[in-house]
Amino acid sequence: MSQNAPLGIFDSGLGGLTVAREIAQRLPHESFVYVGDTRRCPYGPRDLSQVEQYVREICTFLQDKGVKLIVIACNTATAAGLELMQREFDIPIIGVIEPGARAAVRTTRNRKVGVIGTVGTIQSSVYHHAVKALDAGCQVMSVATPSFVDMVEEGLAFSDEQSSDVTHGLRVPPNFDEIATDYLGPLQDEEVDTVVLGCTHYPLLHDPIAEIMGDDVVLVSSAEETARDVSSTLQRRGHEALEDHIPTYQFFTTGDLDRFQMLGSKVFGRPLDSLELLDIDYLESLIDPHKE
Amino acid sequence: MSQNAPLGIFDSGLGGLTVAREIAQRLPHESFVYVGDTRRCPYGPRDLSQVEQYVREICTFLQDKGVKLIVIACNTATAAGLELMQREFDIPIIGVIEPGARAAVRTTRNRKVGVIGTVGTIQSSVYHHAVKALDAGCQVMSVATPSFVDMVEEGLAFSDEQSSDVTHGLRVPPNFDEIATDYLGPLQDEEVDTVVLGCTHYPLLHDPIAEIMGDDVVLVSSAEETARDVSSTLQRRGHEALEDHIPTYQFFTTGDLDRFQMLGSKVFGRPLDSLELLDIDYLESLIDPHKE
């Protein structure tokens, strides 16, 4: 395994680019291969066993690309497939749920933590278990906020500037306040002081969510803590890229190339220089159906 | 809660001072109150429900001292009481098992991890579960090595120099190799590339254990990762001591004062300036028996 081998990062779409961006900032010598499975996005409402199969396909694709570590930068995919992929693959695979839970446990003062995520993530109760494993005395209140993913994808399409702040490019839809107040009311009633943005799309809605939750509530995302985990894992194994290594970022999408370039560059904060189409049929062919 | 309030740290005896030392190095402005329950040491062979009661008493004592966070710097006590104490107390309580497991998962390359600890810790399977929660594909091989605690305590008594290296002051007993080879053989047979020193006494035996395990095996202790967790928790909550705060270290032992001073200063790396006797009867009186 070459130290300069790329990392693999993937998501159902654009949200994982918030994690990729954090990794690129924190680990400036590391290359990565990013897959955004936009054609099958969102994963949230799908059956977890279906998502698990998608995760297996993409992990296989990334492994074939010679990555030294995989980040499942998608909460639903982590909930559906992390454990199984860790058993099936030899390279380290890091999800975003445990890091997010850890960030929340360390942040909360009143030990009342809210979690928002897709239906798949919330129904799996993975955040609940991950928080309780770290602090058994912490109360966890989980709410599914499925419309937020569409709002991000649509809001990005309507934004027209490429901002250095990851949330600024997004135009918040006019019905956001109404829907968000409805979603977030129960968390406010429970007086949570920390909310986990349990979907990698949600950091793009950080500011409007923060406005509704108020100054006393801290919003935490998995991105920073996940990037730390990647850093620590590479360091402890001696797999860090060399300091003179000039990183390359290779992006693949299963969906529309132009759209991914336009929206992705807003989230990633710079143009996606190398972007290619990843064919779904090819992805599916990577898994031998007789193995299932 | 004052930002300059002390941390609480405790162990069944001297081992937790390896963690206290790491915390003092990493967080040079933080005061702490340390309890070494040497009269009831070792906790390892005791019934976990008995240990749980000791943990409750000491947490209550530390809470009465106004600590802002408690570190259970003892693997057996973490296994026995962490979850329950987190539910019973309002302040954050951090154990040493999850951080140790995390360090191991990030370190291993062949994903075969050995764990050595007391009988209580190993029988509780907490390390096994903690490692699997972070990497379901990691193999865990656990071995109880109870004699190591006595060897540390005795070895310290016979060492005669106060060394800057935490392991150097220790005189390894003559039968160490024989016993250790017997303990560690199964881990070598399984070809683990990482061994968790799952007892806070064991870092003091780092060098002789490393000699038996060989150059290709990395020994990880919880101390460093636990100190990071403490740092991150204080930082995220805004509970860090101020930069002009001059820290004080207050030590309590339930056992012999002279012995604790002599041995403790070797482990901590400097004299224990403030050391007081903590009466067991007083400790027991802190818990209302009618509550049990």
Side-chain angles (χ1 to χ4, degrees):
Chain A
M1 174 74 68
S2 155
Q3 283 187 257
N4 291 340
L7 307 169
I9 308 173
F10 76 93
D11 178 39
S12 60
L14 298 159
L17 290 168
T18 59
V19 179
R21 181 179 171 140
E22 186 73 31
I23 288 173
Q25 273 168 1
R26 185 172 285 268
L27 301 166
H29 306 295
E30 298 296 339
S31 296
F32 64 72
V33 179
Y34 183 95
V35 174
D37 191 7
T38 33
R39 185 169 302 276
R40 300 186 293 198
C41 181
Y43 283 181
R46 292 178 191 270
D47 191 72
L48 287 188
S49 65
Q50 178 68 74
V51 175
E52 181 190 300
Q53 182 62 11
Y54 297 167
V55 172
R56 182 179 288 113
E57 289 167 13
I58 297 170
C59 283
T60 305
F61 173 77
L62 289 170
Q63 191 183 42
D64 291 349
K65 290 277 167 198
V67 303
K68 59 186 171 186
L69 179 153
I70 291 176
V71 179
I72 306 186
C74 171
N75 285 267
T76 311
T78 300
L82 177 65
E83 276 192 36
L84 212 56
M85 294 313 113
Q86 286 178 332
R87 289 201 206 100
E88 293 180 13
F89 289 82
D90 288 334
I91 48 176
I93 305 187
I94 292 177
V96 284
I97 288 170
E98 207 271 337
R102 204 177 329 128
V105 164
R106 291 180 183 175
T107 301
T108 180
R109 281 153 297 160
N110 70 4
R111 297 164 90 200
K112 293 181 179 176
V113 167
V115 179
I116 58 176
T118 65
V119 171
T121 301
I122 298 304
Q123 279 185 350
S124 73
S125 299
V126 280
Y127 267 108
H128 182 92
H129 294 307
V131 168
K132 290 282 188 184
L134 294 166
D135 182 357
C138 198
Q139 289 176 50
V140 187
M141 171 92 193
S142 302
V143 175
T145 54
S147 301
F148 283 180
V149 173
D150 291 337
M151 285 181 173
V152 166
E153 301 263 342
E154 285 165 25
L156 277 172
F158 280 103
S159 72
D160 47 12
E161 51 174 331
Q162 188 175 314
S163 166
S164 63
D165 181 324
V166 77
T167 69
H168 278 179
L170 188 77
R171 186 193 287 180
V172 178
N175 59 342
F176 175 81
D177 274 7
E178 189 189 340
I179 291 175
T181 305
D182 194 42
Y183 280 155
L184 303 173
L187 299 182
Q188 292 177 304
D189 294 345
E190 294 290 326
E191 297 179 334
V192 303
D193 72 355
T194 303
V195 173
V196 182
L197 304 176
C199 170
T200 48
H201 278 77
Y202 296 176
L204 294 150
L205 288 171
H206 180 284
D207 292 358
I209 293 173
E211 203 161 301
I212 288 176
M213 292 305 295
D215 289 343
D216 295 338
V217 175
V218 182
L219 307 185
V220 301
S221 80
S222 304
E224 193 192 334
E225 206 73 21
T226 303
R228 274 179 210 269
D229 279 12
V230 172
S231 168
S232 169
T233 300
L234 295 177
Q235 196 186 327
R236 283 185 177 270
R237 288 179 205 228
H239 286 175
E240 291 167 296
L242 301 174
E243 293 216 347
D244 61 358
H245 178 62
I246 296 167
T248 56
Y249 305 136
Q250 221 182 340
F251 298 88
F252 291 88
T253 175
T254 54
D256 184 78
L257 279 174
D258 289 341
R259 182 181 152 89
F260 196 86
Q261 175 63 257
M262 185 186 72
L263 307 189
S265 61
K266 290 179 185 171
V267 182
F268 192 55
R270 55 180 129 161
L272 313 180
D273 292 328
S274 164
L275 173 62
E276 293 169 56
L277 185 68
L278 177 55
D279 187 62
I280 292 281
D281 290 340
Y282 173 69
L283 262 186
E284 288 176 355
S285 76
L286 292 173
I287 307 294
D288 179 359
H290 301 294
K291 276 173 66 184
E292 296 311 303
Chain B
M1 176 74 67
S2 156
Q3 282 187 258
N4 291 339
L7 307 169
I9 307 174
F10 77 91
D11 178 40
S12 61
L14 298 159
L17 290 167
T18 59
V19 179
R21 181 179 172 142
E22 186 73 32
I23 288 174
Q25 274 169 0
R26 184 171 285 269
L27 302 165
H29 306 296
E30 300 294 340
S31 296
F32 64 73
V33 179
Y34 183 94
V35 173
D37 191 7
T38 33
R39 185 169 300 277
R40 301 186 293 198
C41 181
Y43 283 0
R46 292 177 190 271
D47 191 74
L48 286 188
S49 65
Q50 179 67 74
V51 176
E52 180 190 300
Q53 182 63 10
Y54 297 166
V55 172
R56 183 179 287 113
E57 291 167 11
I58 297 170
C59 283
T60 305
F61 173 77
L62 289 170
Q63 190 182 42
D64 292 350
K65 290 277 168 198
V67 303
K68 60 185 171 187
L69 179 153
I70 292 175
V71 179
I72 306 185
C74 170
N75 287 266
T76 311
T78 299
L82 177 66
E83 275 192 38
L84 212 55
M85 295 311 113
Q86 286 177 331
R87 288 200 207 101
E88 292 180 13
F89 289 82
D90 288 334
I91 49 176
I93 305 186
I94 291 176
V96 284
I97 287 170
E98 206 271 337
R102 205 177 327 129
V105 164
R106 291 180 184 175
T107 301
T108 180
R109 281 153 296 160
N110 70 4
R111 297 164 88 200
K112 293 180 180 179
V113 167
V115 179
I116 58 176
T118 66
V119 171
T121 301
I122 298 303
Q123 280 185 350
S124 72
S125 299
V126 280
Y127 267 108
H128 182 92
H129 294 306
V131 168
K132 290 282 188 184
L134 294 165
D135 182 358
C138 197
Q139 289 176 49
V140 188
M141 171 92 194
S142 303
V143 174
T145 53
S147 301
F148 282 179
V149 172
D150 291 338
M151 285 181 174
V152 167
E153 301 263 342
E154 285 164 26
L156 278 172
F158 280 103
S159 71
D160 48 11
E161 52 174 331
Q162 188 173 313
S163 165
S164 62
D165 181 323
V166 77
T167 69
H168 278 177
L170 187 78
R171 186 193 289 179
V172 178
N175 58 344
F176 175 82
D177 274 6
E178 189 188 339
I179 291 176
T181 305
D182 194 41
Y183 280 156
L184 303 173
L187 299 182
Q188 293 176 304
D189 294 345
E190 293 291 326
E191 297 181 333
V192 302
D193 71 355
T194 304
V195 173
V196 182
L197 304 176
C199 170
T200 50
H201 278 77
Y202 296 176
L204 293 150
L205 289 171
H206 179 284
D207 291 358
I209 293 173
E211 203 160 303
I212 288 176
M213 292 305 296
D215 289 344
D216 294 338
V217 175
V218 182
L219 308 184
V220 301
S221 81
S222 305
E224 194 192 334
E225 205 74 21
T226 303
R228 274 180 211 267
D229 279 12
V230 172
S231 169
S232 168
T233 301
L234 295 176
Q235 196 186 328
R236 283 185 177 270
R237 288 177 206 230
H239 285 176
E240 291 167 296
L242 301 173
E243 293 217 345
D244 61 357
H245 178 62
I246 297 166
T248 56
Y249 306 135
Q250 221 182 340
F251 299 88
F252 292 88
T253 174
T254 54
D256 184 78
L257 280 174
D258 289 341
R259 182 180 152 87
F260 196 85
Q261 175 64 256
M262 187 187 71
L263 306 190
S265 61
K266 288 178 185 170
V267 183
F268 192 55
R270 53 181 132 161
L272 313 180
D273 292 329
S274 164
L275 174 62
E276 292 171 57
L277 185 69
L278 177 55
D279 188 63
I280 292 281
D281 290 340
Y282 173 70
L283 262 187
E284 289 177 354
S285 76
L286 293 173
I287 308 293
D288 179 359
H290 300 297
K291 278 171 63 184
E292 296 313 303

